[in-house]
Each structure stands twice: as C-alpha cells, then as structure tokens.
Amino acid sequence: MTRVLLTGFEPFGGEETNPSWEAVSLVAAAPPPGLDLTPVRLSCVFGTALEELAAAVEAADPALVLCVGQAGGRSQVTVERVAVNVDDARIPDNAGQRPIDEPVVPGGPTAYLAPLPVKACVAAVRAAGIPAAVSQTAGTFVCNHVFYGLAHLIATRRPTTRGGFVHLPCAPEQVVDRDQPSLPVATAAEALRAILTAAVHTGTDLRIAEGATH
C-alpha cells in the first residue's frame, strides 16, 4: 500500500461549498486500489494552511501528497506545473488577511517545478474522458501558498516524497447565476483518482508538448 495525503480546502470568498474538499471526500470514501489515503481539509488562511499541511505530512508520512483547490472560471481539471514564492491576495483569506508582495518562504527559491509527473497526470485524466490541462500558474492566493509550501517542504526535508497541486472548476451549484464553467464533483473525484494512480505508477513524466504561448 502506498501512503497518500490528499488535501482540499474549506469554502472561501463567501461560497457555501468548495468542490476541492467535496471531491477529496468522495475519493477518500472510494480510493484507487493500492492506496492508503488520508484526507485533510485545510483552512483557506495564509500561514495556518501551511501549518496544517506540515502537521498532516508529519502524521501520515506519505509517499505522495496531492493538494487540491478551486479555480473559478476554469473549465478543465488543471495540474499545476509551477509554484512561485509570492503571496499577493486580490481578496482577503478567511481570517481577513490580505498579504501583498510577500514571500511564502522568506529566502526561499523564486519558484519550484512540481515534484509530480504533471503531463502523465493530465494524460490520465483525459484518458478517463475528463477535460484536463497543464497549468502554468496556480495564482498568488492560498492555493499557490500551499503549493509552494509543499514543494519547499519536499525540497528541504522530504526528497523522496512526490507532491503537487490540482485545481478543479467550480461545482454546478456554485454557478447557477453566473456565466462560468463548472464540473460535477463526482467527475472531479474521478479525475483525482486518475491523477493519483498516474502519480504513483509513473516514474518518468511524458515528454509531450503541454506549453502555453500566453
């Protein structure tokens, strides 16, 4: 059994739900074969989320960590490639904090590439019939904060651990009165199962074009 830590977020920005945690909960109830999965819900709060993540990693001692967040406006499941060392909040977090141009980790590298076979994970989601893409930015809110913190933790303390971040579109009930794309939570959960399986079983990532021109 491969130990896996799978995290989602609490609702934020006035929403009543967060599809990241809803999908994580479904995966935890029926994980892919061979995975010993621990689900954890993180606070949408700068600093606190990293403390919760570090504590969860210490407790679960996972071989793989996959953090999941919500990206309103996106139409695909997006596997993040790059985490940047900056917090720059357009809206306050759930504690009212709104850092501007502050480092996630003072003195840390400018950026990390995800220690995850990103392209293989995207290919696995597409093979399941679900739209997916590589994303070149995780934003500068709490999602990127957690992604960078995870990558820094792996680089400095857990070099044999794999980890990464996935953004999910909004759930249909969140966009009833908005002109925004959505994805059913059950479908998002299937995408996460495909990503977890690919991440565990892929040694070398696919060498295929998944870049962007803008």
Side-chain angles (χ1 to χ4, degrees):
M1 299 290 284
T2 301
R3 289 192 297 274
V4 174
L5 176 64
L6 185 62
T7 76
F9 280 104
E10 66 182 355
F12 70 98
E15 299 280 0
E16 295 183 358
T17 188
N18 190 318
S20 68
W21 177 243
E22 300 303 320
V24 164
S25 298
L26 290 181
V27 175
L35 302 189
D36 179 8
L37 194 148
T38 299
V40 171
R41 190 173 87 154
L42 301 179
S43 302
C44 190
V45 178
F46 289 101
T48 300
L50 287 188
E51 294 171 1
E52 294 169 345
L53 176 64
V57 169
E58 180 70 21
D61 189 26
L64 171 67
V65 182
L66 188 67
C67 299
V68 187
Q70 168 191 314
R74 293 190 186 181
S75 60
Q76 301 169 303
V77 174
T78 47
V79 184
E80 300 295 342
R81 191 204 296 258
V82 185
V84 295
N85 192 14
V86 63
D87 292 331
D88 194 357
R90 182 177 59 82
I91 61 174
D93 68 10
N94 284 356
Q97 301 178 101
R98 194 179 175 190
I100 297 175
D101 296 339
E102 296 182 10
V104 180
V105 178
T110 300
Y112 285 108
L113 294 179
L116 192 77
V118 172
K119 294 180 178 181
C121 290
V122 168
V125 177
R126 289 174 180 161
I130 301 167
V134 174
S135 169
Q136 318 299 341
T137 175
T140 55
F141 196 51
V142 184
C143 286
N144 175 77
H145 182 80
V146 164
F147 182 21
Y148 185 92
L150 170 62
H152 188 72
L153 177 65
I154 290 172
T156 58
R157 294 170 51 190
R158 300 184 64 91
T160 62
T161 299
R162 275 189 158 180
F165 198 99
V166 175
H167 267 122
L168 303 178
C170 287
E173 61 268 25
Q174 292 178 284
V175 299
V176 171
D177 298 321
R178 307 180 208 166
D179 184 19
Q180 287 188 3
S182 65
L183 188 71
V185 170
T187 304
E190 283 302 313
L192 293 181
R193 292 186 184 98
I195 290 169
L196 290 171
T197 301
V200 168
H201 295 291
T202 302
T204 302
D205 202 4
L206 302 177
R207 189 171 174 81
I208 57 175
E210 291 286 355
T213 57
H214 61 277

